[in-house]
Amino acid sequence: MDKQGEGRGRLRGYLLVVLASLLFGLNGNLARKLFDERALTPLTLVECRMLIGGACLLVLLGVVQRGKVLPPRRSWGWLLALGLAMAAVTYSYFMAISRLPVAIALVIQFSTPAWLVLAEAIWRRRWPPLPVLGALLLAGSGLILVTEVWQQRFLRLDGIGLLYALLSILSFAAYLLLGRRVGRDLSALSATTWGALVAALFWLLVQPPWSLSPASLRPELWPALAAVGILGMALPFLCELAALRYLDAGRVGIVAMLELVAGSGIAYFWLGEALAADQLLGGALVMLGVGLLHYEELRRRANGPLPPAEVSSVGPDPEGAASGRPGQEEFPRQPT
Protein backbone atom coordinates (compact mmCIF):
# COMPACT_ATOMS: atom_id res chain seq x y z
CA MET A 1 0.00 0.00 0.00
CA ASP A 2 1.38 3.48 -0.91
CA LYS A 3 1.71 6.24 1.67
CA GLN A 4 -1.46 7.98 0.52
CA GLY A 5 -3.49 4.77 0.79
CA GLU A 6 -1.95 4.00 4.17
CA GLY A 7 -2.85 7.47 5.39
CA ARG A 8 -6.46 7.03 4.30
CA GLY A 9 -6.56 3.67 6.06
CA ARG A 10 -5.26 5.17 9.31
CA LEU A 11 -7.82 7.98 9.11
CA ARG A 12 -10.57 5.42 8.56
CA GLY A 13 -9.34 3.46 11.58
CA TYR A 14 -9.28 6.53 13.83
CA LEU A 15 -12.81 7.52 12.73
CA LEU A 16 -14.07 4.03 13.52
CA VAL A 17 -12.61 4.13 17.03
CA VAL A 18 -14.06 7.61 17.63
CA LEU A 19 -17.49 6.35 16.53
CA ALA A 20 -17.18 3.33 18.84
CA SER A 21 -16.22 5.57 21.76
CA LEU A 22 -19.21 7.85 21.16
CA LEU A 23 -21.55 4.87 21.07
CA PHE A 24 -20.10 3.37 24.26
CA GLY A 25 -20.45 6.76 25.96
CA LEU A 26 -24.05 6.99 24.79
CA ASN A 27 -24.75 3.50 26.12
CA GLY A 28 -23.85 4.38 29.71
CA ASN A 29 -25.98 7.51 29.66
CA LEU A 30 -28.95 5.76 28.09
CA ALA A 31 -28.72 3.10 30.79
CA ARG A 32 -28.56 5.77 33.52
CA LYS A 33 -31.62 7.48 32.01
CA LEU A 34 -33.56 4.22 32.12
CA PHE A 35 -32.53 3.63 35.73
CA ASP A 36 -33.49 7.16 36.77
CA GLU A 37 -36.94 6.75 35.22
CA ARG A 38 -37.28 3.37 36.97
CA ALA A 39 -38.13 1.84 33.61
CA LEU A 40 -35.66 -1.07 33.91
CA THR A 41 -33.45 -2.63 36.57
CA PRO A 42 -29.70 -3.07 35.94
CA LEU A 43 -30.19 -6.85 35.87
CA THR A 44 -32.87 -6.70 33.18
CA LEU A 45 -30.86 -4.25 31.09
CA VAL A 46 -27.61 -6.23 31.22
CA GLU A 47 -29.55 -9.41 30.38
CA CYS A 48 -31.11 -7.81 27.30
CA ARG A 49 -27.86 -6.12 26.27
CA MET A 50 -25.91 -9.37 26.28
CA LEU A 51 -28.68 -11.33 24.57
CA ILE A 52 -29.36 -8.80 21.78
CA GLY A 53 -25.72 -7.85 21.27
CA GLY A 54 -24.53 -11.48 21.34
CA ALA A 55 -27.21 -12.53 18.83
CA CYS A 56 -26.16 -9.75 16.43
CA LEU A 57 -22.51 -10.73 16.72
CA LEU A 58 -23.41 -14.40 16.21
CA VAL A 59 -25.04 -13.55 12.87
CA LEU A 60 -21.93 -11.65 11.81
CA LEU A 61 -19.69 -14.49 12.99
CA GLY A 62 -21.64 -16.92 10.81
CA VAL A 63 -21.09 -14.67 7.79
CA VAL A 64 -17.39 -14.05 8.49
CA GLN A 65 -16.56 -17.70 9.24
CA ARG A 66 -18.95 -19.09 6.62
CA GLY A 67 -21.15 -20.92 9.08
CA LYS A 68 -18.30 -22.43 11.14
CA VAL A 69 -19.19 -20.66 14.36
CA LEU A 70 -18.61 -23.32 17.04
CA PRO A 71 -15.37 -22.84 18.98
CA PRO A 72 -12.98 -25.78 19.53
CA ARG A 73 -13.77 -27.91 22.57
CA ARG A 74 -10.50 -26.98 24.28
CA SER A 75 -11.82 -23.39 24.52
CA TRP A 76 -15.21 -24.13 26.07
CA GLY A 77 -14.04 -23.94 29.69
CA TRP A 78 -12.19 -20.67 29.10
CA LEU A 79 -15.19 -19.24 27.23
CA LEU A 80 -17.43 -20.13 30.16
CA ALA A 81 -15.11 -18.25 32.52
CA LEU A 82 -14.87 -15.33 30.08
CA GLY A 83 -18.66 -15.14 29.77
CA LEU A 84 -19.07 -15.05 33.55
CA ALA A 85 -16.49 -12.26 33.73
CA MET A 86 -18.41 -10.33 31.06
CA ALA A 87 -21.62 -10.85 33.03
CA ALA A 88 -19.96 -9.53 36.18
CA VAL A 89 -18.22 -6.51 34.63
CA THR A 90 -21.30 -5.25 32.80
CA TYR A 91 -23.64 -5.79 35.76
CA SER A 92 -21.26 -4.12 38.23
CA TYR A 93 -20.81 -1.18 35.84
CA PHE A 94 -24.57 -0.75 35.38
CA MET A 95 -25.09 -0.95 39.14
CA ALA A 96 -22.35 1.65 39.66
CA ILE A 97 -23.85 4.15 37.20
CA SER A 98 -27.30 3.61 38.69
CA ARG A 99 -25.95 5.05 41.97
CA LEU A 100 -23.01 7.26 40.93
CA PRO A 101 -22.50 9.97 38.31
CA VAL A 102 -21.65 8.32 34.98
CA ALA A 103 -18.31 10.13 34.70
CA ILE A 104 -17.09 8.96 38.12
CA ALA A 105 -18.02 5.33 37.41
CA LEU A 106 -16.29 5.53 34.02
CA VAL A 107 -13.08 7.00 35.46
CA ILE A 108 -12.89 4.33 38.15
CA GLN A 109 -13.34 1.50 35.65
CA PHE A 110 -10.96 3.07 33.12
CA SER A 111 -8.16 2.91 35.67
CA THR A 112 -8.19 -0.92 35.56
CA PRO A 113 -5.16 -1.33 33.22
CA ALA A 114 -3.02 0.68 35.64
CA TRP A 115 -3.94 -1.55 38.59
CA LEU A 116 -3.27 -4.64 36.47
CA VAL A 117 0.26 -3.39 35.82
CA LEU A 118 0.71 -2.64 39.53
CA ALA A 119 -0.50 -6.13 40.47
CA GLU A 120 1.94 -7.63 37.96
CA ALA A 121 4.81 -5.64 39.45
CA ILE A 122 3.91 -6.81 42.97
CA TRP A 123 3.58 -10.41 41.76
CA ARG A 124 7.01 -10.30 40.08
CA ARG A 125 8.52 -8.38 43.03
CA ARG A 126 10.14 -5.81 40.77
CA TRP A 127 9.72 -2.12 40.14
CA PRO A 128 7.95 -1.32 36.87
CA PRO A 129 9.77 0.84 34.29
CA LEU A 130 9.69 4.58 34.92
CA PRO A 131 7.01 5.36 32.27
CA VAL A 132 4.77 2.68 33.76
CA LEU A 133 5.42 3.96 37.27
CA GLY A 134 4.50 7.45 36.09
CA ALA A 135 1.29 6.09 34.58
CA LEU A 136 0.39 4.47 37.92
CA LEU A 137 0.98 7.73 39.79
CA LEU A 138 -1.13 9.66 37.28
CA ALA A 139 -4.01 7.17 37.45
CA GLY A 140 -3.93 6.99 41.25
CA SER A 141 -3.82 10.76 41.62
CA GLY A 142 -6.67 11.09 39.12
CA LEU A 143 -8.88 8.73 41.10
CA ILE A 144 -8.24 10.68 44.31
CA LEU A 145 -9.26 13.91 42.57
CA VAL A 146 -12.34 12.43 40.90
CA THR A 147 -13.75 10.93 44.10
CA GLU A 148 -12.56 13.88 46.26
CA VAL A 149 -11.77 11.59 49.19
CA TRP A 150 -10.41 14.53 51.23
CA GLN A 151 -13.68 16.47 51.10
CA GLN A 152 -16.90 16.02 52.98
CA ARG A 153 -18.82 15.53 49.75
CA PHE A 154 -17.02 12.18 49.36
CA LEU A 155 -19.19 10.94 52.21
CA ARG A 156 -22.24 11.84 50.14
CA LEU A 157 -21.20 9.51 47.32
CA ASP A 158 -23.27 6.36 47.41
CA GLY A 159 -21.24 3.72 49.27
CA ILE A 160 -22.89 0.81 47.46
CA GLY A 161 -22.23 2.54 44.15
CA LEU A 162 -18.53 2.89 45.02
CA LEU A 163 -18.42 -0.78 46.01
CA TYR A 164 -19.87 -1.79 42.64
CA ALA A 165 -17.37 0.50 40.89
CA LEU A 166 -14.52 -1.29 42.68
CA LEU A 167 -16.06 -4.64 41.75
CA SER A 168 -16.13 -3.48 38.15
CA ILE A 169 -12.35 -3.00 38.34
CA LEU A 170 -11.86 -6.57 39.59
CA SER A 171 -14.23 -8.10 37.05
CA PHE A 172 -12.75 -5.99 34.22
CA ALA A 173 -9.27 -7.22 35.18
CA ALA A 174 -10.53 -10.81 35.12
CA TYR A 175 -12.10 -10.17 31.71
CA LEU A 176 -8.81 -8.83 30.31
CA LEU A 177 -6.74 -11.73 31.64
CA LEU A 178 -9.23 -14.36 30.48
CA GLY A 179 -9.50 -12.60 27.14
CA ARG A 180 -5.76 -12.93 26.68
CA ARG A 181 -6.00 -16.68 27.30
CA VAL A 182 -8.99 -17.18 25.00
CA GLY A 183 -7.27 -15.04 22.35
CA ARG A 184 -4.65 -17.77 21.89
CA ASP A 185 -7.26 -19.98 20.21
CA LEU A 186 -10.03 -17.68 18.95
CA SER A 187 -10.46 -14.38 17.16
CA ALA A 188 -11.71 -11.42 19.18
CA LEU A 189 -15.05 -11.56 17.33
CA SER A 190 -15.58 -15.24 18.13
CA ALA A 191 -14.48 -14.88 21.76
CA THR A 192 -16.68 -11.86 22.44
CA THR A 193 -19.68 -13.39 20.65
CA TRP A 194 -19.59 -16.57 22.71
CA GLY A 195 -18.64 -14.71 25.87
CA ALA A 196 -21.69 -12.46 25.48
CA LEU A 197 -23.96 -15.44 24.82
CA VAL A 198 -22.62 -17.26 27.90
CA ALA A 199 -23.23 -14.10 29.94
CA ALA A 200 -26.78 -13.83 28.54
CA LEU A 201 -27.46 -17.48 29.39
CA PHE A 202 -26.18 -16.92 32.93
CA TRP A 203 -28.52 -13.97 33.49
CA LEU A 204 -31.42 -15.85 31.88
CA LEU A 205 -30.90 -18.56 34.51
CA VAL A 206 -30.74 -15.95 37.28
CA GLN A 207 -33.78 -14.09 35.96
CA PRO A 208 -35.87 -16.26 33.56
CA PRO A 209 -38.02 -14.34 31.05
CA TRP A 210 -41.25 -15.37 32.77
CA SER A 211 -40.09 -13.76 36.00
CA LEU A 212 -39.64 -10.33 34.41
CA SER A 213 -41.89 -7.56 35.57
CA PRO A 214 -44.61 -6.70 33.00
CA ALA A 215 -43.41 -3.08 33.26
CA SER A 216 -40.05 -4.18 31.78
CA LEU A 217 -41.72 -5.62 28.68
CA ARG A 218 -43.75 -2.58 27.69
CA PRO A 219 -43.55 -2.01 23.90
CA GLU A 220 -42.37 1.58 24.40
CA LEU A 221 -39.18 0.21 26.01
CA TRP A 222 -38.29 -2.06 23.08
CA PRO A 223 -36.45 0.68 21.11
CA ALA A 224 -34.31 1.46 24.16
CA LEU A 225 -33.49 -2.22 24.69
CA ALA A 226 -32.56 -2.60 21.02
CA ALA A 227 -30.39 0.53 21.22
CA VAL A 228 -28.50 -0.80 24.26
CA GLY A 229 -27.89 -4.17 22.56
CA ILE A 230 -27.13 -2.94 19.03
CA LEU A 231 -25.80 0.62 19.43
CA GLY A 232 -24.36 0.00 22.89
CA MET A 233 -22.58 -3.29 22.22
CA ALA A 234 -22.67 -4.92 18.79
CA LEU A 235 -22.04 -1.89 16.56
CA PRO A 236 -19.27 -0.19 18.60
CA PHE A 237 -17.51 -3.52 19.09
CA LEU A 238 -17.59 -4.11 15.33
CA CYS A 239 -16.20 -0.61 14.78
CA GLU A 240 -13.24 -1.39 17.05
CA LEU A 241 -12.65 -4.72 15.29
CA ALA A 242 -12.72 -2.96 11.92
CA ALA A 243 -10.32 -0.30 13.22
CA LEU A 244 -7.80 -3.03 14.07
CA ARG A 245 -7.47 -3.64 10.32
CA TYR A 246 -5.92 -0.18 9.92
CA LEU A 247 -4.36 0.55 13.33
CA ASP A 248 -2.41 -1.47 15.87
CA ALA A 249 -4.11 -2.31 19.14
CA GLY A 250 -2.07 0.20 21.16
CA ARG A 251 -3.29 3.15 19.10
CA VAL A 252 -6.85 1.81 19.21
CA GLY A 253 -6.58 1.67 23.02
CA ILE A 254 -5.36 5.27 23.23
CA VAL A 255 -8.09 6.69 20.98
CA ALA A 256 -10.75 4.55 22.71
CA MET A 257 -10.22 6.60 25.87
CA LEU A 258 -12.43 9.18 24.18
CA GLU A 259 -15.26 7.12 25.67
CA LEU A 260 -14.56 8.79 28.99
CA VAL A 261 -14.81 12.25 27.40
CA ALA A 262 -17.89 11.28 25.39
CA GLY A 263 -19.63 9.70 28.36
CA SER A 264 -18.90 12.68 30.62
CA GLY A 265 -19.95 15.20 27.97
CA ILE A 266 -23.21 13.43 27.20
CA ALA A 267 -23.93 13.13 30.94
CA TYR A 268 -23.41 16.88 31.33
CA PHE A 269 -25.72 17.93 28.50
CA TRP A 270 -28.32 15.16 28.77
CA LEU A 271 -28.44 14.28 32.46
CA GLY A 272 -27.17 17.51 33.96
CA GLU A 273 -24.29 15.73 35.75
CA ALA A 274 -21.55 18.33 36.22
CA LEU A 275 -18.08 17.70 37.63
CA ALA A 276 -16.04 20.16 39.65
CA ALA A 277 -12.77 21.49 38.25
CA ASP A 278 -10.64 19.15 40.39
CA GLN A 279 -12.74 16.17 39.24
CA LEU A 280 -12.24 17.14 35.60
CA LEU A 281 -8.50 17.34 36.27
CA GLY A 282 -8.64 13.90 37.88
CA GLY A 283 -10.35 12.41 34.83
CA ALA A 284 -7.68 13.94 32.60
CA LEU A 285 -4.91 12.46 34.79
CA VAL A 286 -6.44 8.98 34.57
CA MET A 287 -6.63 9.32 30.78
CA LEU A 288 -3.00 10.47 30.66
CA GLY A 289 -1.93 7.54 32.83
CA VAL A 290 -3.71 4.89 30.78
CA GLY A 291 -2.57 6.59 27.58
CA LEU A 292 1.02 6.46 28.81
CA LEU A 293 0.66 2.71 29.38
CA HIS A 294 -0.53 2.22 25.80
CA TYR A 295 2.25 4.47 24.49
CA GLU A 296 4.86 2.48 26.40
CA GLU A 297 3.39 -0.69 24.90
CA LEU A 298 3.73 0.78 21.40
CA ARG A 299 7.32 1.84 22.09
CA ARG A 300 8.28 -1.61 23.34
CA ARG A 301 6.74 -3.31 20.34
CA ALA A 302 8.67 -1.01 18.03
CA ASN A 303 11.88 -2.10 19.76
CA GLY A 304 11.24 -5.78 19.02
CA PRO A 305 9.79 -8.85 20.81
CA LEU A 306 9.72 -8.73 24.57
CA PRO A 307 11.02 -11.41 26.92
CA PRO A 308 8.21 -13.11 28.87
CA ALA A 309 8.95 -11.19 32.07
CA GLU A 310 8.53 -7.83 30.31
CA VAL A 311 5.13 -8.39 28.71
CA SER A 312 2.62 -5.80 29.90
CA SER A 313 -0.82 -6.75 31.15
CA VAL A 314 -2.53 -3.74 29.59
CA GLY A 315 -4.34 -5.94 27.10
CA PRO A 316 -4.60 -9.66 26.47
CA ASP A 317 -2.16 -11.36 24.13
CA PRO A 318 -0.10 -8.34 23.02
CA GLU A 319 2.41 -10.53 21.17
CA GLY A 320 -0.35 -12.08 19.10
CA ALA A 321 -1.67 -8.64 18.23
CA ALA A 322 1.73 -7.55 16.98
CA SER A 323 2.34 -10.70 14.98
CA GLY A 324 -0.71 -10.28 12.78
CA ARG A 325 -1.58 -13.97 12.98
CA PRO A 326 -5.24 -14.74 12.25
CA GLY A 327 -7.26 -15.04 15.43
CA GLN A 328 -4.51 -13.58 17.56
CA GLU A 329 -5.25 -9.84 17.49
CA GLU A 330 -5.38 -8.06 20.81
CA PHE A 331 -8.66 -8.61 22.60
CA PRO A 332 -10.49 -5.29 22.73
CA ARG A 333 -11.53 -3.86 26.06
CA GLN A 334 -14.91 -4.77 27.48
CA PRO A 335 -17.50 -2.40 26.05
CA THR A 336 -19.10 -0.52 28.94
Side-chain angles (χ1 to χ4, degrees):
M1 183 184 296
D2 57 24
K3 290 186 177 180
Q4 185 177 3
E6 184 178 354
R8 286 196 299 267
R10 283 182 178 271
L11 177 60
R12 193 176 296 119
Y14 286 126
L15 291 176
L16 285 167
V17 183
V18 170
L19 176 58
S21 300
L22 290 173
L23 290 172
F24 284 141
L26 175 65
N27 172 70
N29 284 277
L30 176 57
R32 176 59 188 263
K33 186 74 172 175
L34 292 170
F35 301 151
D36 287 346
E37 295 175 353
R38 301 186 182 277
L40 292 169
T41 65
L43 177 54
T44 299
L45 193 59
V46 69
E47 185 175 325
C48 292
R49 181 180 190 242
M50 288 298 180
L51 186 59
I52 296 171
C56 292
L57 293 175
L58 183 62
V59 172
L60 178 72
L61 184 64
V63 173
V64 171
Q65 298 190 178
R66 300 179 182 179
K68 298 179 180 178
V69 297
L70 288 177
R73 288 190 177 182
R74 65 178 180 275
S75 301
W76 288 4
W78 291 110
L79 281 174
L80 177 62
L82 179 66
L84 294 177
M86 290 179 71
V89 69
T90 310
Y91 178 70
S92 58
Y93 171 71
F94 277 174
M95 285 297 297
I97 65 174
S98 72
R99 293 174 170 269
L100 296 173
V102 174
I104 291 180
L106 271 174
V107 169
I108 292 174
Q109 192 184 64
F110 257 77
S111 67
T112 303
W115 308 128
L116 267 178
V117 172
L118 178 61
E120 182 186 37
I122 294 174
W123 177 261
R124 297 187 185 281
R125 298 181 182 178
R126 57 187 299 177
W127 282 97
L130 283 178
V132 176
L133 188 60
L136 291 172
L137 292 174
L138 285 170
S141 302
L143 280 181
I144 292 174
L145 288 172
V146 165
T147 54
E148 296 181 320
V149 294
W150 70 92
Q151 293 192 15
Q152 180 127 14
R153 77 175 81 175
F154 173 74
L155 300 176
R156 294 199 295 269
L157 287 177
D158 189 279
I160 297 178
L162 286 172
L163 176 61
Y164 275 111
L166 294 176
L167 289 176
S168 75
I169 291 180
L170 296 176
S171 53
F172 189 16
Y175 165 83
L176 290 174
L177 296 174
L178 288 166
R180 176 158 64 180
R181 176 59 186 84
V182 173
R184 298 176 188 173
D185 304 320
L186 299 175
S187 68
L189 174 59
S190 180
T192 301
T193 298
W194 287 107
L197 292 175
V198 168
L201 178 60
F202 172 78
W203 290 122
L204 284 170
L205 292 174
V206 172
Q207 180 178 253
W210 55 84
S211 68
L212 290 174
S213 167
S216 302
L217 302 176
R218 301 195 309 270
E220 58 266 29
L221 291 177
W222 294 354
L225 292 174
V228 169
I230 299 172
L231 299 180
M233 180 182 177
L235 185 57
F237 181 76
L238 294 180
C239 287
E240 285 199 341
L241 277 181
L244 287 169
R245 297 177 57 189
Y246 308 106
L247 303 170
D248 54 70
R251 286 185 173 85
V252 169
I254 292 174
V255 181
M257 288 190 300
L258 285 173
E259 181 191 341
L260 202 161
V261 178
S264 302
I266 294 172
Y268 176 76
F269 288 105
W270 189 16
L271 305 178
E273 294 183 353
L275 296 180
D278 52 353
Q279 291 177 308
L280 291 173
L281 176 60
L285 290 179
V286 170
M287 289 183 64
L288 284 173
V290 177
L292 185 57
L293 287 177
H294 284 292
Y295 177 78
E296 177 67 6
E297 182 184 354
L298 285 173
R299 188 187 66 81
R300 288 187 175 190
R301 287 182 184 176
N303 292 336
L306 303 179
E310 298 294 329
V311 174
S312 169
S313 295
V314 173
D317 199 17
E319 301 98 332
S323 69
R325 291 170 291 174
Q328 298 291 315
E329 66 268 28
E330 179 168 345
F331 199 84
R333 60 181 173 76
Q334 160 68 8
T336 49

